[in-house]
Amino acid sequence: MNMSEHRRLCEEMAKQWVNNGVNLSHEALLEQAAQDRGFKSFVSLEGLHKLLGSEGVPTKEAIINAGGDPQEAPMMPLHSTISSGWSEAGSVT
């Protein structure tokens, strides 16, 4: 997934949370969305977007090759801290 897609998905997540009634600032929602996608922060995501370009894929190798800090590579998120409403649907058996 390239950096533009990561950024777009963060925006969509933030918008969905607002639609679900989450009462946080837009910046706080973007921050949480970026963290849920495995980035350290939205600022980190934005920095990688500038470093790698819109079509860049944020792998450690790509970040190193672009002169960036490989510690900024996204990690797999363990869980989401803001409910997106899916939990209300129940479990599939």
Side-chain angles (χ1 to χ4, degrees):
M1 182 173 296
N2 67 35
M3 293 307 301
S4 288
E5 291 167 333
H6 281 294
R7 190 175 196 298
R8 180 185 54 78
L9 288 173
C10 285
E11 291 283 352
E12 287 178 9
M13 287 172 75
K15 182 183 268 187
Q16 183 62 45
W17 288 330
V18 168
N19 290 341
N20 289 345
V22 176
N23 190 18
L24 293 173
S25 70
H26 185 67
E27 292 79 17
L29 292 171
L30 288 175
E31 181 73 17
Q32 187 60 54
Q35 289 175 7
D36 283 1
R37 299 205 48 73
F39 292 89
K40 288 184 178 182
S41 65
F42 190 72
V43 171
S44 175
L45 185 150
E46 287 287 282
L48 289 174
H49 188 264
K50 288 178 186 175
L51 179 70
L52 300 173
S54 294
E55 298 302 316
V57 177
T59 63
K60 284 187 179 188
E61 183 179 352
I63 293 167
I64 291 169
N65 289 341
D69 181 355
Q71 298 282 335
E72 294 298 315
M75 305 303 264
M76 290 300 294
L78 298 175
H79 58 52
S80 173
T81 57
I82 297 179
S83 172
S84 64
W86 287 101
S87 60
E88 295 175 7
S91 62
V92 176
T93 57

